[in-house]
């Protein structure tokens, strides 16, 4: 019973409940929120955030962070446009862009785990570096005219209904990441690293190699998000995805992943992504400005860091009070 109460009181359970409540309120109170077309756009809008949040969840659980993901998306989008201009086929360009994203992630991995540099400083640096390289590759130009078979699939829906085709990609990857994180020894090693990397190392976990591959995967997923972003808008631009890293980090922390590592769940993060997307979509339908949306994202980011600590502090205080109330038996 106490385990059930603890589970119900956990942050990711709370955020799932809040997401459901906000969904119901938006459907009932915001005009056009519940129609099929808006639902399709809602899923398409949250897709890049949700995709990048999958590996970001694992990285933050180990106590690290990757702020270069949006610039990786922009650089792979620019390279995609450049390769298309050079006459490569789209079938060759897509895997190349995912591979380039993985290489960009590997650069972060080497700098952080082989040279021992802090992930915050490294990924802020590569955030600027990759965005600058994107401008070098494509400048201010935009490349369009990608094959309709691909752009149409990304923007199309399953059976003409409201569910976009690309949701299949997200569901498959979410299941894979969820199983790896919550049901494998590798996933348990990530929590161990985040809780105490020295103890994890003494337990036989290769901390440096594990973190390196997390950054490689993060780069590859950001590259895939860049491909899908470009095909959705049929526009390869150097500034694609600018500022997206803020929404990804906000969704991960909002979903209950501790910024200090060692705690979190993928299902809580996906709920955080959905909550963020629903709030922004509902506010846009109410003609709220883009600046106000940034304020909402910022407030949620602060709240997602502050509230779990308050809840944990209150819970620990009540636990200590109960322990003091237990009478000590004399021997």
């Amino acid at each position: 019973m106490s385990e059930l109460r603890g589970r119900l009181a956990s942050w990711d359970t709370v955020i799932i409940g809040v997401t459901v409540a906000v969904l119901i309120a938006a459907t009932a109170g915001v005009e056009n929120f519940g129609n099929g077309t808006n639902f399709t756009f809602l899923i398409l809008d949250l897709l890049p955030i949700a995709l990048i949040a999958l590996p970001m969840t694992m990285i933050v659980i180990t106590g690290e962070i990757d702020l270069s993901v949006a610039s990786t998306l922009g650089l792979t989008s620019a390279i995609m446009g450049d390769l298309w201009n050079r006459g490569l086929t789209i079938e060759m360009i897509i895997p190349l862009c995912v591979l380039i994203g993985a290489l960009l992630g590997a650069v972060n991995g080497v700098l952080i785990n082989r040279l021992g540099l802090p992930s915050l400083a490294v990924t802020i640096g590569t955030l600027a570096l990759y965005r600058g390289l994107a401008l070098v590759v494509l400048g201010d130009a935009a490349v369009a005219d990608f094959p309709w078979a691909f752009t149409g699939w990304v923007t199309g829906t399953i059976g003409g209904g409201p569910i976009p085709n690309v949701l299949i990609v997200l569901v498959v990857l979410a299941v894979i990441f969820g199983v790896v994180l919550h049901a494998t020894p590798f996933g348990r090693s990530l929590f161990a690293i985040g809780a105490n990397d020295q103890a994890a190392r003494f337990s036989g976990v290769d901390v440096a190699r594990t973190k390196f591959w997390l950054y490689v995967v993060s780069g590859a997923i950001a590259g895939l998000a860049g491909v899908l972003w470009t095909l959705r808008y049929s526009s390869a631009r150097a500034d694609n995805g600018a500022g997206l890293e803020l929404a990804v980090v906000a969704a991960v922390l909002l979903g209950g992943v501790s910024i200090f590592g060692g705690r979190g769940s993928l299902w809580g993060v996906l709920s955080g992504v959905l909550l963020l997307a629903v709030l922004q979509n509902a506010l846009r339908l109410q003609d709220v400005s883009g600046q106000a949306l940034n304020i909402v994202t910022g407030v949620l980011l602060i709240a997602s860091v502050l509230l779990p600590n308050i809840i944990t502090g209150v819970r620990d205080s009540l636990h200590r009070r109960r322990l003091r109330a237990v009478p000590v038996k004399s021997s």
Side-chain angles (χ1 to χ4, degrees):
M1 184 61 76
S2 60
E3 184 180 348
L4 177 61
R5 282 200 299 267
R7 187 62 191 163
L8 289 175
S10 67
W11 178 255
D12 53 349
T13 306
V14 169
I15 209 67
I16 290 171
V18 171
T19 303
V20 172
V22 170
L23 261 174
I24 294 171
T27 304
V30 179
E31 189 177 2
N32 294 324
F33 180 84
N35 71 42
T37 303
N38 186 60
F39 180 78
T40 304
F41 282 114
L42 174 66
I43 298 298
L44 289 173
D45 287 344
L46 70 79
L47 183 83
I49 300 173
L51 281 176
I52 296 173
L54 298 176
M56 183 72 85
T57 300
M58 292 183 167
I59 289 174
V60 178
I61 282 175
T62 64
E64 305 289 352
I65 199 162
D66 183 358
L67 295 179
S68 68
V69 284
S71 296
T72 301
L73 185 157
L75 179 52
T76 52
S77 178
I79 291 172
M80 186 174 176
D82 184 63
L83 294 176
W84 181 249
N85 276 342
R86 292 173 186 274
L88 269 70
T89 65
I90 195 73
E91 291 83 359
M92 293 177 63
I93 290 173
I94 290 175
L96 268 176
C97 285
V98 175
L99 179 60
I100 289 168
L103 291 174
L104 297 175
V107 171
N108 286 332
V110 169
L111 292 173
I112 294 166
N113 301 300
R114 298 302 176 190
L115 301 184
L117 301 175
S119 59
L120 182 64
V122 167
T123 56
I124 285 177
T126 51
L127 177 154
L129 173 65
Y130 295 164
R131 189 64 70 182
L133 288 174
L135 287 167
V136 170
V137 171
L138 209 55
D140 294 329
V143 178
D145 299 329
F146 293 101
W148 169 248
F150 288 84
T151 57
W153 186 84
V154 170
T155 56
T157 59
I158 299 173
I163 302 174
N165 295 322
V166 286
L167 188 61
I168 298 170
V169 178
L170 175 60
V171 170
V172 170
L173 287 175
V175 170
I176 293 172
F177 274 83
V179 169
V180 170
L181 181 61
H182 295 293
T184 67
F186 177 79
R188 287 191 288 276
S189 73
L190 301 184
F191 288 99
I193 292 171
N196 189 325
D197 61 348
Q198 289 291 338
R201 193 172 286 112
F202 289 139
S203 300
V205 177
D206 191 330
V207 175
R209 187 171 64 179
T210 300
K211 289 183 178 180
F212 170 79
W213 283 110
L214 286 182
Y215 281 98
V216 172
V217 173
S218 178
I221 295 293
L224 175 63
V227 169
L228 295 175
W229 183 296
T230 304
L231 292 175
R232 179 196 173 185
Y233 296 103
S234 193
S235 176
R237 294 179 57 90
D239 61 352
N240 276 349
L244 197 70
E245 66 280 346
L246 177 63
V248 173
V249 172
V252 169
L253 299 184
L254 192 62
V257 178
S258 171
I259 190 66
F260 305 109
R263 192 175 70 243
S265 79
L266 204 66
W267 321 121
V269 169
L270 291 175
S271 296
V273 172
L274 182 58
L275 176 58
L276 201 60
V278 168
L279 282 173
Q280 293 194 342
N281 182 278
L283 291 173
R284 282 198 197 97
L285 290 175
Q286 298 290 321
D287 293 327
V288 175
S289 67
Q291 290 85 348
L293 293 178
N294 288 336
I295 292 173
V296 171
T297 304
V299 169
L300 287 174
L301 185 57
I302 294 171
S304 62
V305 175
L306 192 61
L307 289 179
N309 286 296
I310 292 176
I311 292 172
T312 302
V314 170
R315 189 186 300 161
D316 291 346
S317 175
L318 292 174
H319 181 66
R320 286 194 296 272
R321 189 174 299 176
R322 281 196 298 270
L323 289 179
R324 284 196 296 269
V326 175
V328 179
K329 294 180 179 179
S330 58
S331 58

mmCIF file with all atom_site columns, all heavy atoms in Angstrom, residues 58 180-181 184-191 210 213-214:
data_model
loop_
_atom_site.group_PDB
_atom_site.id
_atom_site.type_symbol
_atom_site.label_atom_id
_atom_site.label_alt_id
_atom_site.label_comp_id
_atom_site.label_asym_id
_atom_site.label_entity_id
_atom_site.label_seq_id
_atom_site.pdbx_PDB_ins_code
_atom_site.Cartn_x
_atom_site.Cartn_y
_atom_site.Cartn_z
_atom_site.occupancy
_atom_site.B_iso_or_equiv
_atom_site.pdbx_formal_charge
_atom_site.auth_seq_id
_atom_site.auth_comp_id
_atom_site.auth_asym_id
_atom_site.auth_atom_id
_atom_site.pdbx_PDB_model_num
ATOM 1   N N   . MET A 1 58  ? 18.043 10.098 -21.308 1.00 0.00 ? 58  MET A N   1
ATOM 2   C CA  . MET A 1 58  ? 19.127 9.230  -20.822 1.00 0.00 ? 58  MET A CA  1
ATOM 3   C C   . MET A 1 58  ? 20.351 10.053 -20.408 1.00 0.00 ? 58  MET A C   1
ATOM 4   O O   . MET A 1 58  ? 21.003 9.758  -19.398 1.00 0.00 ? 58  MET A O   1
ATOM 5   C CB  . MET A 1 58  ? 19.514 8.236  -21.922 1.00 0.00 ? 58  MET A CB  1
ATOM 6   C CG  . MET A 1 58  ? 18.430 7.214  -22.235 1.00 0.00 ? 58  MET A CG  1
ATOM 7   S SD  . MET A 1 58  ? 18.998 6.041  -23.475 1.00 0.00 ? 58  MET A SD  1
ATOM 8   C CE  . MET A 1 58  ? 17.718 4.782  -23.358 1.00 0.00 ? 58  MET A CE  1
ATOM 9   N N   . VAL A 1 180 ? 14.962 -0.086 -23.341 1.00 0.00 ? 180 VAL A N   1
ATOM 10  C CA  . VAL A 1 180 ? 16.396 -0.019 -23.009 1.00 0.00 ? 180 VAL A CA  1
ATOM 11  C C   . VAL A 1 180 ? 16.605 0.654  -21.657 1.00 0.00 ? 180 VAL A C   1
ATOM 12  O O   . VAL A 1 180 ? 17.396 0.193  -20.821 1.00 0.00 ? 180 VAL A O   1
ATOM 13  C CB  . VAL A 1 180 ? 17.161 0.743  -24.117 1.00 0.00 ? 180 VAL A CB  1
ATOM 14  C CG1 . VAL A 1 180 ? 18.594 1.044  -23.666 1.00 0.00 ? 180 VAL A CG1 1
ATOM 15  C CG2 . VAL A 1 180 ? 17.170 -0.059 -25.405 1.00 0.00 ? 180 VAL A CG2 1
ATOM 16  N N   . LEU A 1 181 ? 15.875 1.758  -21.404 1.00 0.00 ? 181 LEU A N   1
ATOM 17  C CA  . LEU A 1 181 ? 16.094 2.523  -20.171 1.00 0.00 ? 181 LEU A CA  1
ATOM 18  C C   . LEU A 1 181 ? 15.548 1.818  -18.936 1.00 0.00 ? 181 LEU A C   1
ATOM 19  O O   . LEU A 1 181 ? 16.164 1.830  -17.869 1.00 0.00 ? 181 LEU A O   1
ATOM 20  C CB  . LEU A 1 181 ? 15.447 3.915  -20.303 1.00 0.00 ? 181 LEU A CB  1
ATOM 21  C CG  . LEU A 1 181 ? 15.603 4.845  -19.096 1.00 0.00 ? 181 LEU A CG  1
ATOM 22  C CD1 . LEU A 1 181 ? 17.080 5.139  -18.815 1.00 0.00 ? 181 LEU A CD1 1
ATOM 23  C CD2 . LEU A 1 181 ? 14.836 6.151  -19.308 1.00 0.00 ? 181 LEU A CD2 1
ATOM 24  N N   . THR A 1 184 ? 16.572 -3.002 -19.032 1.00 0.00 ? 184 THR A N   1
ATOM 25  C CA  . THR A 1 184 ? 17.842 -3.653 -19.387 1.00 0.00 ? 184 THR A CA  1
ATOM 26  C C   . THR A 1 184 ? 18.935 -3.256 -18.384 1.00 0.00 ? 184 THR A C   1
ATOM 27  O O   . THR A 1 184 ? 18.836 -2.201 -17.742 1.00 0.00 ? 184 THR A O   1
ATOM 28  C CB  . THR A 1 184 ? 18.312 -3.255 -20.803 1.00 0.00 ? 184 THR A CB  1
ATOM 29  O OG1 . THR A 1 184 ? 18.659 -1.862 -20.791 1.00 0.00 ? 184 THR A OG1 1
ATOM 30  C CG2 . THR A 1 184 ? 17.234 -3.515 -21.844 1.00 0.00 ? 184 THR A CG2 1
ATOM 31  N N   . PRO A 1 185 ? 19.991 -4.068 -18.264 1.00 0.00 ? 185 PRO A N   1
ATOM 32  C CA  . PRO A 1 185 ? 21.118 -3.693 -17.395 1.00 0.00 ? 185 PRO A CA  1
ATOM 33  C C   . PRO A 1 185 ? 21.764 -2.375 -17.821 1.00 0.00 ? 185 PRO A C   1
ATOM 34  O O   . PRO A 1 185 ? 22.227 -1.599 -16.986 1.00 0.00 ? 185 PRO A O   1
ATOM 35  C CB  . PRO A 1 185 ? 22.097 -4.866 -17.574 1.00 0.00 ? 185 PRO A CB  1
ATOM 36  C CG  . PRO A 1 185 ? 21.230 -6.013 -17.976 1.00 0.00 ? 185 PRO A CG  1
ATOM 37  C CD  . PRO A 1 185 ? 20.138 -5.419 -18.810 1.00 0.00 ? 185 PRO A CD  1
ATOM 38  N N   . PHE A 1 186 ? 21.777 -2.104 -19.161 1.00 0.00 ? 186 PHE A N   1
ATOM 39  C CA  . PHE A 1 186 ? 22.342 -0.834 -19.634 1.00 0.00 ? 186 PHE A CA  1
ATOM 40  C C   . PHE A 1 186 ? 21.550 0.345  -19.055 1.00 0.00 ? 186 PHE A C   1
ATOM 41  O O   . PHE A 1 186 ? 22.139 1.336  -18.602 1.00 0.00 ? 186 PHE A O   1
ATOM 42  C CB  . PHE A 1 186 ? 22.307 -0.790 -21.167 1.00 0.00 ? 186 PHE A CB  1
ATOM 43  C CG  . PHE A 1 186 ? 22.807 0.503  -21.738 1.00 0.00 ? 186 PHE A CG  1
ATOM 44  C CD1 . PHE A 1 186 ? 24.169 0.744  -21.842 1.00 0.00 ? 186 PHE A CD1 1
ATOM 45  C CD2 . PHE A 1 186 ? 21.922 1.492  -22.165 1.00 0.00 ? 186 PHE A CD2 1
ATOM 46  C CE1 . PHE A 1 186 ? 24.640 1.950  -22.358 1.00 0.00 ? 186 PHE A CE1 1
ATOM 47  C CE2 . PHE A 1 186 ? 22.385 2.690  -22.684 1.00 0.00 ? 186 PHE A CE2 1
ATOM 48  C CZ  . PHE A 1 186 ? 23.747 2.921  -22.780 1.00 0.00 ? 186 PHE A CZ  1
ATOM 49  N N   . GLY A 1 187 ? 20.222 0.235  -19.088 1.00 0.00 ? 187 GLY A N   1
ATOM 50  C CA  . GLY A 1 187 ? 19.391 1.310  -18.534 1.00 0.00 ? 187 GLY A CA  1
ATOM 51  C C   . GLY A 1 187 ? 19.646 1.510  -17.053 1.00 0.00 ? 187 GLY A C   1
ATOM 52  O O   . GLY A 1 187 ? 19.756 2.643  -16.573 1.00 0.00 ? 187 GLY A O   1
ATOM 53  N N   . ARG A 1 188 ? 19.769 0.401  -16.313 1.00 0.00 ? 188 ARG A N   1
ATOM 54  C CA  . ARG A 1 188 ? 20.030 0.517  -14.870 1.00 0.00 ? 188 ARG A CA  1
ATOM 55  C C   . ARG A 1 188 ? 21.400 1.154  -14.618 1.00 0.00 ? 188 ARG A C   1
ATOM 56  O O   . ARG A 1 188 ? 21.582 1.883  -13.635 1.00 0.00 ? 188 ARG A O   1
ATOM 57  C CB  . ARG A 1 188 ? 19.945 -0.866 -14.214 1.00 0.00 ? 188 ARG A CB  1
ATOM 58  C CG  . ARG A 1 188 ? 18.518 -1.396 -14.108 1.00 0.00 ? 188 ARG A CG  1
ATOM 59  C CD  . ARG A 1 188 ? 18.441 -2.627 -13.217 1.00 0.00 ? 188 ARG A CD  1
ATOM 60  N NE  . ARG A 1 188 ? 19.017 -3.809 -13.845 1.00 0.00 ? 188 ARG A NE  1
ATOM 61  C CZ  . ARG A 1 188 ? 18.368 -4.597 -14.692 1.00 0.00 ? 188 ARG A CZ  1
ATOM 62  N NH1 . ARG A 1 188 ? 17.106 -4.332 -15.005 1.00 0.00 ? 188 ARG A NH1 1
ATOM 63  N NH2 . ARG A 1 188 ? 18.941 -5.657 -15.240 1.00 0.00 ? 188 ARG A NH2 1
ATOM 64  N N   . SER A 1 189 ? 22.347 0.894  -15.520 1.00 0.00 ? 189 SER A N   1
ATOM 65  C CA  . SER A 1 189 ? 23.675 1.502  -15.337 1.00 0.00 ? 189 SER A CA  1
ATOM 66  C C   . SER A 1 189 ? 23.611 3.025  -15.504 1.00 0.00 ? 189 SER A C   1
ATOM 67  O O   . SER A 1 189 ? 24.390 3.751  -14.876 1.00 0.00 ? 189 SER A O   1
ATOM 68  C CB  . SER A 1 189 ? 24.670 0.905  -16.344 1.00 0.00 ? 189 SER A CB  1
ATOM 69  O OG  . SER A 1 189 ? 24.432 1.383  -17.661 1.00 0.00 ? 189 SER A OG  1
ATOM 70  N N   . LEU A 1 190 ? 22.668 3.528  -16.338 1.00 0.00 ? 190 LEU A N   1
ATOM 71  C CA  . LEU A 1 190 ? 22.534 4.979  -16.498 1.00 0.00 ? 190 LEU A CA  1
ATOM 72  C C   . LEU A 1 190 ? 22.072 5.628  -15.192 1.00 0.00 ? 190 LEU A C   1
ATOM 73  O O   . LEU A 1 190 ? 22.584 6.684  -14.792 1.00 0.00 ? 190 LEU A O   1
ATOM 74  C CB  . LEU A 1 190 ? 21.544 5.296  -17.623 1.00 0.00 ? 190 LEU A CB  1
ATOM 75  C CG  . LEU A 1 190 ? 21.876 4.736  -19.008 1.00 0.00 ? 190 LEU A CG  1
ATOM 76  C CD1 . LEU A 1 190 ? 20.851 5.214  -20.027 1.00 0.00 ? 190 LEU A CD1 1
ATOM 77  C CD2 . LEU A 1 190 ? 23.275 5.135  -19.445 1.00 0.00 ? 190 LEU A CD2 1
ATOM 78  N N   . PHE A 1 191 ? 21.093 4.978  -14.523 1.00 0.00 ? 191 PHE A N   1
ATOM 79  C CA  . PHE A 1 191 ? 20.641 5.507  -13.228 1.00 0.00 ? 191 PHE A CA  1
ATOM 80  C C   . PHE A 1 191 ? 21.782 5.445  -12.200 1.00 0.00 ? 191 PHE A C   1
ATOM 81  O O   . PHE A 1 191 ? 21.938 6.362  -11.385 1.00 0.00 ? 191 PHE A O   1
ATOM 82  C CB  . PHE A 1 191 ? 19.433 4.708  -12.727 1.00 0.00 ? 191 PHE A CB  1
ATOM 83  C CG  . PHE A 1 191 ? 18.168 4.980  -13.489 1.00 0.00 ? 191 PHE A CG  1
ATOM 84  C CD1 . PHE A 1 191 ? 17.749 4.124  -14.490 1.00 0.00 ? 191 PHE A CD1 1
ATOM 85  C CD2 . PHE A 1 191 ? 17.397 6.099  -13.210 1.00 0.00 ? 191 PHE A CD2 1
ATOM 86  C CE1 . PHE A 1 191 ? 16.576 4.372  -15.204 1.00 0.00 ? 191 PHE A CE1 1
ATOM 87  C CE2 . PHE A 1 191 ? 16.225 6.360  -13.915 1.00 0.00 ? 191 PHE A CE2 1
ATOM 88  C CZ  . PHE A 1 191 ? 15.818 5.498  -14.920 1.00 0.00 ? 191 PHE A CZ  1
ATOM 89  N N   . THR A 1 210 ? 29.977 4.593  -21.934 1.00 0.00 ? 210 THR A N   1
ATOM 90  C CA  . THR A 1 210 ? 28.506 4.690  -21.910 1.00 0.00 ? 210 THR A CA  1
ATOM 91  C C   . THR A 1 210 ? 28.050 6.093  -22.289 1.00 0.00 ? 210 THR A C   1
ATOM 92  O O   . THR A 1 210 ? 27.178 6.282  -23.138 1.00 0.00 ? 210 THR A O   1
ATOM 93  C CB  . THR A 1 210 ? 27.983 4.337  -20.503 1.00 0.00 ? 210 THR A CB  1
ATOM 94  O OG1 . THR A 1 210 ? 28.388 3.012  -20.175 1.00 0.00 ? 210 THR A OG1 1
ATOM 95  C CG2 . THR A 1 210 ? 26.469 4.428  -20.451 1.00 0.00 ? 210 THR A CG2 1
ATOM 96  N N   . TRP A 1 213 ? 28.577 6.989  -26.099 1.00 0.00 ? 213 TRP A N   1
ATOM 97  C CA  . TRP A 1 213 ? 27.571 6.453  -27.023 1.00 0.00 ? 213 TRP A CA  1
ATOM 98  C C   . TRP A 1 213 ? 26.223 7.149  -26.858 1.00 0.00 ? 213 TRP A C   1
ATOM 99  O O   . TRP A 1 213 ? 25.447 7.246  -27.819 1.00 0.00 ? 213 TRP A O   1
ATOM 100 C CB  . TRP A 1 213 ? 27.453 4.942  -26.856 1.00 0.00 ? 213 TRP A CB  1
ATOM 101 C CG  . TRP A 1 213 ? 28.602 4.235  -27.515 1.00 0.00 ? 213 TRP A CG  1
ATOM 102 C CD1 . TRP A 1 213 ? 29.631 3.574  -26.896 1.00 0.00 ? 213 TRP A CD1 1
ATOM 103 C CD2 . TRP A 1 213 ? 28.872 4.161  -28.912 1.00 0.00 ? 213 TRP A CD2 1
ATOM 104 N NE1 . TRP A 1 213 ? 30.525 3.097  -27.813 1.00 0.00 ? 213 TRP A NE1 1
ATOM 105 C CE2 . TRP A 1 213 ? 30.081 3.439  -29.069 1.00 0.00 ? 213 TRP A CE2 1
ATOM 106 C CE3 . TRP A 1 213 ? 28.230 4.635  -30.049 1.00 0.00 ? 213 TRP A CE3 1
ATOM 107 C CZ2 . TRP A 1 213 ? 30.643 3.180  -30.319 1.00 0.00 ? 213 TRP A CZ2 1
ATOM 108 C CZ3 . TRP A 1 213 ? 28.795 4.391  -31.299 1.00 0.00 ? 213 TRP A CZ3 1
ATOM 109 C CH2 . TRP A 1 213 ? 29.976 3.673  -31.424 1.00 0.00 ? 213 TRP A CH2 1
ATOM 110 N N   . LEU A 1 214 ? 25.949 7.644  -25.654 1.00 0.00 ? 214 LEU A N   1
ATOM 111 C CA  . LEU A 1 214 ? 24.712 8.410  -25.480 1.00 0.00 ? 214 LEU A CA  1
ATOM 112 C C   . LEU A 1 214 ? 24.740 9.673  -26.346 1.00 0.00 ? 214 LEU A C   1
ATOM 113 O O   . LEU A 1 214 ? 23.731 10.042 -26.968 1.00 0.00 ? 214 LEU A O   1
ATOM 114 C CB  . LEU A 1 214 ? 24.522 8.800  -24.012 1.00 0.00 ? 214 LEU A CB  1
ATOM 115 C CG  . LEU A 1 214 ? 24.106 7.684  -23.054 1.00 0.00 ? 214 LEU A CG  1
ATOM 116 C CD1 . LEU A 1 214 ? 23.924 8.252  -21.645 1.00 0.00 ? 214 LEU A CD1 1
ATOM 117 C CD2 . LEU A 1 214 ? 22.814 7.010  -23.510 1.00 0.00 ? 214 LEU A CD2 1
#
